[in-house]
């Protein structure tokens, strides 16, 4: 009886390029699961109303109005408590295995509690899947974005409303991840993907920050770091042609220079200039 529920739960975790098809398949499996419970009269009064609400308009089903944050929070807290109670009830029956083997009523209560928990999680999954499906559909039907310009300040729109002399993005642009436009529409439905960030303290620190990025190191530290990375080329120039003076008092260095000069003289005598040119001897 719970086969469709487990199949839909697995489909939610599948990562494929065609996410929209996977979401629709998961919704179909959840719907089959609820229809089976309805046929056996296993849905409670509240679940029955939610199922009728879903069947009336599957594309706009929601557990709470999206534009009422207070009501949505209250319903979320209530459903969390209900789920916690169902899990505690299921855990209680699972720990008394000896009692379940001798009492058919307790065994039936265990199965019913399990179905109630699955049904409770099914409606939560339907709410989330429908929201995700609306976002995926909106992204698929959205017009293609124009290619990004080389200048983030959009100098082609000089004097317009979107022009800015700032080289670094503002705090609001950083929080939006570079995307523009509203996140929610007038009905409270998301119009683009977004991420909830817990950076309240960081935002408070950035309220009175300067309008430009401050340096993070001194010039000396920067040059030392470039030297460490090997990005500074040393040598060459006029100094490369200046031969170092040999210390005549150091006999070892003087002997090395003398042997080097003798070897070079012997090489030039054994290989006169033009000796290797066999094609142009007159």
């Amino acid at each position: 009886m719970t086969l469709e529920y487990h199949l839909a739960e697995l489909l939610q975790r599948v990562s494929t390029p065609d996410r929209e098809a996977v979401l629709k398949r998961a919704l179909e499996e959840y719907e089959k699961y609820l229809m089976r419970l309805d046929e056996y009269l296993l849905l409670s009064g509240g679940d029955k109303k939610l199922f009728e609400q879903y069947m009336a308009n599957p594309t706009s089903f929601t557990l709470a109005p999206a534009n009422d944050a207070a009501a949505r929070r209250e319903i979320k807290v209530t459903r969390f408590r209900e789920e916690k109670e169902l899990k505690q009830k299921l855990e209680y029956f699972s720990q008394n295995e000896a009692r379940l083997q001798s009492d058919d009523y307790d065994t039936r209560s265990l199965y019913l509690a399990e179905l109630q928990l699955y049904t409770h999680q099914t409606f939560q999954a339907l709410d989330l899947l429908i929201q995700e499906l609306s976002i995926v559909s909106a992204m698929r039907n959205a017009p293609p974005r124009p290619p990004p310009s080389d200048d983030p300040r959009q100098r082609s729109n000089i004097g317009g409303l979107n022009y800015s002399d700032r080289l670094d993005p503002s705090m609001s642009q950083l929080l939006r991840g570079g995307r523009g436009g509203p996140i929610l529409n007038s009905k409270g439905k998301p119009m683009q993907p977004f991420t909830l960030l817990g950076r309240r303290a960081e935002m408070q620190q950035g309220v009175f920050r300067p309008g430009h990025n401050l340096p993070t190191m001194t010039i000396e530290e920067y040059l030392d770091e470039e030297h460490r990375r090997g990005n500074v080329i040393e040598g060459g120039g006029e100094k490369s042609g200046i031969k170092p003076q040999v210390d005549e008092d150091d006999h070892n260095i003087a002997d090395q220079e003398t042997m080097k000069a003798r070897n070079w003289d012997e090489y030039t005598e054994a290989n006169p200039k033009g000796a290797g040119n066999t094609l142009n001897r007159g």
Side-chain angles (χ1 to χ4, degrees), residues 16 65 80-81 97 106 122 135 149 157-158 197 206 217 229 276:
T16 59
F80 174 77
R81 292 175 180 173
E97 296 182 358
D106 290 339
T122 296
I135 295 175
S149 59
N157 191 24
I158 294 179
L197 302 176
M217 63 178 67
R229 294 180 178 180

Side-chain angles (χ1 to χ4, degrees), residues 66-249:
N67 54 359
D68 192 348
R72 192 170 185 85
R73 175 178 174 81
E74 183 178 357
I75 292 176
K76 187 175 181 180
V77 172
T78 303
R79 294 191 64 84
F80 174 77
R81 292 175 180 173
E82 292 176 355
E83 183 176 356
K84 185 177 180 180
E85 292 176 358
L86 289 173
K87 289 182 178 179
Q88 291 177 352
K89 184 178 180 180
L90 189 62
E91 184 179 1
Y92 170 76
F93 284 117
S94 300
Q95 291 177 354
N96 298 309
E97 296 182 358
R99 183 177 178 181
L100 294 175
Q101 294 177 358
S102 60
D103 193 344
D104 294 339
Y105 177 78
D106 290 339
T107 304
R108 175 180 171 82
S109 300
L110 172 63
Y111 291 146
L112 290 177
E114 187 177 15
L115 290 176
Q116 290 176 359
L117 178 61
Y118 290 163
T119 305
H120 187 276
Q121 294 176 346
T122 296
F123 285 113
Q124 289 183 345
L126 289 176
D127 188 8
L128 296 177
L129 288 177
I130 291 174
Q131 292 183 26
E132 184 179 357
L133 185 61
S134 63
I135 295 175
V136 173
S137 301
M139 292 177 61
R140 179 174 54 84
N141 298 326
R145 294 183 179 181
S149 59
D150 296 335
D151 191 349
R153 297 172 295 173
Q154 299 180 358
R155 291 198 176 275
S156 60
N157 191 24
I158 294 179
L161 298 176
N162 297 328
Y163 174 74
S164 175
D165 284 329
R166 293 188 59 170
L167 294 176
D168 54 338
S170 61
M171 180 65 70
S172 60
Q173 292 176 347
L174 290 174
L175 294 177
R176 290 199 306 265
R179 301 186 181 93
I183 297 178
L184 302 177
N185 59 8
S186 58
K187 297 182 180 179
K189 290 187 177 181
M191 301 179 62
Q192 60 181 347
F194 62 93
T195 305
L196 298 178
L197 302 176
R199 298 166 54 188
R200 184 174 182 179
E202 184 177 350
M203 292 176 60
Q204 289 178 351
Q205 295 176 359
V207 171
F208 298 104
R209 71 181 183 93
H212 58 277
N213 292 331
L214 298 176
T216 58
M217 63 178 67
T218 62
I219 297 178
E220 290 76 9
E221 292 175 348
Y222 171 75
L223 293 177
D224 293 340
E225 180 66 18
E226 291 297 310
H227 275 285
R228 187 186 66 81
R229 294 180 178 180
N231 295 334
V232 178
I233 300 176
E234 297 180 352
E238 297 180 356
K239 295 183 179 180
S240 61
I242 301 176
K243 296 182 179 180
Q245 296 181 357
V246 180
D247 188 4
E248 297 179 355
D249 296 334

Side-chain angles (χ1 to χ4, degrees), residues 274-282:
N277 188 1
T278 60
L279 300 178
N280 189 15
R281 290 186 175 180

Side-chain angles (χ1 to χ4, degrees), residues 31-48:
E31 184 177 340
K32 292 179 183 178
Y33 167 73
L34 293 175
M35 292 179 65
R36 187 182 298 273
L37 293 183
D38 188 34
E39 291 176 357
Y40 286 95
L41 303 178
L42 294 177
L43 291 177
S44 62
D47 293 338
K48 179 70 173 179

